[in-house]
């Protein structure tokens, strides 16, 4: 099971969170969980920031081997849990892999009482030379990751029940205790393998809804959040099944991508779109020149990089008028979320949507589908 942390550049917040959880996993001897991280606009291969590395060293963590990586769709599909630092990152996850959203939430959902941010807030970033900001960010990350770890490490039903009861008491009232019906629900969820994080996320969301309606006094029993738990559990299950079809040995990702490009080039040539056809043919030559002795995972990463290059070529083929039209469509699609996104994340998401619409327009399927 992979727990993926996501921030913007993957050189500070998500890198530190990954190191914190990895340290806890090593101390507990857990091999069934793995921590990972990525950034929405990260460059490939950068080390963690100097300040973050030094602070990590002073706190007993090692970031010397960390290298940044841009968040890609395969990363989201393979992760069982995705924790993002800002609400803008949620939008980015949704644009890359909507099916991963049931497994995604803000890391601040795990902010405990006394934390320097509230649940639902953004984990603060810090910049070079901002020692105070770095310390604040580190404290928030530590508090949230510690609470996340306490829930991930839950291995008995007694701990499962205690975590839910503690959260319910903290949010609704200290004297509240679980009813027989609550126990029955928890027993059913535990037996059915419903992850603790789903139950706690649904509990928080249901309480927030009742508070917005001014009806918080009625949120006294778990049955109020049972429908949402069922909905999220089913969405989570659907997102975690669907293994890619087993390919014959000769059907490598490169072979499949080459065939898609051949079909697209032939179709484009038949419609007279010469410049787009040449861009696809150039991409086909690059695929055919890629090493065949590398593993499927590395081949897919190469194909994802080629998709970016192909997107640039297709933009040139489309021309400014078509690009302006596609950009307006993408902006309209993102308008409901634009206020929660940083300018950088908004522009990156707009570019991704335009590239996706361009590929659809020219009939070019993804080169590295999962």
């Amino acid at each position: 099971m992979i727990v993926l942390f996501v921030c913007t550049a993957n050189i500070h917040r998500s890198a530190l969170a990954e190191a914190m959880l990895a340290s806890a996993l090593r101390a507990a001897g857990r091999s069934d969980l793995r921590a990972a991280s990525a950034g929405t606009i990260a460059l490939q291969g950068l080390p963690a920031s100097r300040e973050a590395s030094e602070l990590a060293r002073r706190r007993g963590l090692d970031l010397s081997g960390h290298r940044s990586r841009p968040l890609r769709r395969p990363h989201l599909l393979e992760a069982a849990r995705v924790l993002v630092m800002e609400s803008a990152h949620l939008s980015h996850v949704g644009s890359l892999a909507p099916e991963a959203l049931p497994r995604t939430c803000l890391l601040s959902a795990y902010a405990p009482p006394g934390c320097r941010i509230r649940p639902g807030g953004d984990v603060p970033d810090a910049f070079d030379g901002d020692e105070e900001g770095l310390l604040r960010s580190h404290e928030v990350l530590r508090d949230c990751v510690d609470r996340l770890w306490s829930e991930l490490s839950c291995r008995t039903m007694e701990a499962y029940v205690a975590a839910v009861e503690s959260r319910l008491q903290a949010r609704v009232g200290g004297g509240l205790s679980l009813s027989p019906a609550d126990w029955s629900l928890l027993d059913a969820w535990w037996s059915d393998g419903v992850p603790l994080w789903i139950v706690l996320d649904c509990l928080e969301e249901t309480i927030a809804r009742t508070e917005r309606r001014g009806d918080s006094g009625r949120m006294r029993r778990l049955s109020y959040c049972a429908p949402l738990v069922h909905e999220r559990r089913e969405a989570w299950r659907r997102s975690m099944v669907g293994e890619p079809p087993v390919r014959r040995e000769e059907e490598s990702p490169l072979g499949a991508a080459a065939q898609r490009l051949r079909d697209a080039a032939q179709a484009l040539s038949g419609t007279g779109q010469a410049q787009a056809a040449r861009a696809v043919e150039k991409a086909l030559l690059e695929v055919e020149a890629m090493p065949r002795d590398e593993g499927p995972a590395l081949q897919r990463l190469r194909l994802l990089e080629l998709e970016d290059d192909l997107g640039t070529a297709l933009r040139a083929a489309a021309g400014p008028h078509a690009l302006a039209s596609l950009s307006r469509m993408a902006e309209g699609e993102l308008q409901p979320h634009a206020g929660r996104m940083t300018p950088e994340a908004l522009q990156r998401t707009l570019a991704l949507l335009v590239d996706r619409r361009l590929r659809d327009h020219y009939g070019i399927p993804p080169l590295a589908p999962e």
Side-chain angles (χ1 to χ4, degrees):
M1 171 179 166
I2 297 174
V3 179
L4 176 66
F5 297 97
V6 174
C7 70
T8 303
N10 193 212
I11 59 173
H12 170 218
R13 290 173 293 178
S14 60
L16 274 170
E18 177 188 358
M20 290 173 182
L21 182 58
S23 176
L25 292 172
R26 285 193 299 271
R30 294 285 294 273
S31 59
D32 57 319
L33 295 174
R34 180 165 69 85
S37 64
T40 56
I41 58 170
L43 299 176
Q44 183 72 41
L46 294 181
S49 69
R50 180 176 58 82
E51 286 83 358
S53 296
E54 175 59 22
L55 179 59
R57 187 189 64 78
R58 297 203 305 263
R59 303 297 173 92
L61 302 172
D62 183 11
L63 287 181
S64 61
H66 175 80
R67 294 296 180 268
S68 64
R69 61 174 184 168
L71 181 66
R72 302 286 194 181
R73 176 178 167 83
H75 303 148
L76 295 168
L77 295 181
E78 71 178 356
R81 192 77 171 116
V82 182
L83 288 309
V84 303
M85 302 295 157
E86 301 175 13
S87 56
H89 302 151
L90 287 171
S91 300
H92 192 86
V93 169
S95 71
L96 285 178
E99 59 269 57
L101 285 174
R103 300 178 257 124
T104 305
C105 77
L106 288 161
L107 181 61
S108 65
Y110 293 90
C115 184
R116 299 180 71 168
I117 62 170
R118 294 176 59 83
D122 291 346
V123 174
D125 202 355
F127 304 96
D128 290 350
D130 181 11
E131 180 72 17
E132 182 179 348
L134 189 66
L135 288 171
R136 177 173 181 262
S137 181
H138 182 277
E139 289 176 8
V140 169
L141 288 166
R142 180 199 59 206
D143 290 346
C144 293
V145 172
D146 282 352
R147 190 168 191 179
L148 170 67
W149 167 239
S150 70
E151 295 175 5
L152 288 173
S153 59
C154 171
R155 289 188 160 190
T156 66
M157 183 182 173
E158 289 76 12
Y160 188 91
V161 170
V164 175
E165 185 173 37
S166 174
R167 184 69 66 90
L168 190 61
Q169 289 176 344
R171 295 287 278 113
V172 179
L176 189 66
S177 60
L178 297 178
S179 71
D182 293 335
W183 274 90
S184 179
L185 263 179
L186 287 169
D187 179 61
W189 291 339
W190 170 262
S191 301
D192 202 28
V194 181
L196 178 60
W197 59 263
I198 286 183
V199 177
L200 295 177
D201 283 359
C202 292
L203 180 62
E204 291 283 355
E205 186 168 333
T206 304
I207 291 171
R209 287 178 182 176
T210 59
E211 288 176 343
R212 285 196 296 270
R213 294 197 305 262
D215 197 21
S216 57
R218 297 190 64 186
M219 182 58 212
R220 311 289 292 179
R221 294 291 173 250
L222 290 179
S223 57
Y224 281 95
C225 66
L228 187 58
V229 170
H230 175 77
E231 176 188 325
R232 294 288 170 81
R233 177 196 61 190
E234 292 306 307
W236 175 71
R237 282 179 172 171
R238 287 193 299 271
S239 72
M240 294 303 292
V241 299
E243 293 289 330
V246 177
R247 294 185 173 93
R248 296 192 302 275
E249 191 171 339
E250 68 271 21
E251 290 180 324
S252 71
L254 296 183
Q259 187 58 53
R260 293 187 188 99
L261 289 169
R262 287 190 198 98
D263 293 343
Q266 183 177 1
L268 287 169
S269 298
T271 59
Q273 301 183 80
Q275 187 174 352
R278 286 195 296 271
V280 174
E281 289 166 357
K282 180 177 181 293
L284 173 58
L285 291 175
E286 292 187 39
V287 170
E288 290 176 337
M290 289 180 181
R292 257 49 181 180
D293 57 351
E294 295 175 333
L298 185 53
Q299 289 180 358
R300 288 193 180 91
L301 286 176
R302 289 185 182 276
L303 290 172
L304 288 169
E305 292 171 355
L306 180 60
E307 274 189 357
D308 291 342
D309 295 340
L310 180 57
T312 300
L314 292 177
R315 284 170 176 264
H321 180 73
L323 281 179
S325 176
L326 290 173
S327 294
R328 286 194 296 270
M329 294 170 64
E331 288 170 358
E333 186 175 339
L334 284 178
Q335 185 60 40
H337 313 289
R340 303 196 304 272
M341 302 175 73
T342 63
E344 295 81 4
L346 178 61
Q347 290 306 311
R348 174 60 177 161
T349 306
L350 282 171
L352 289 169
L353 287 176
V354 169
D355 285 347
R356 185 180 302 170
R357 290 180 182 276
L358 272 174
R359 288 199 302 269
D360 291 344
H361 172 74
Y362 289 118
I364 303 170
L367 300 185
E370 287 295 308

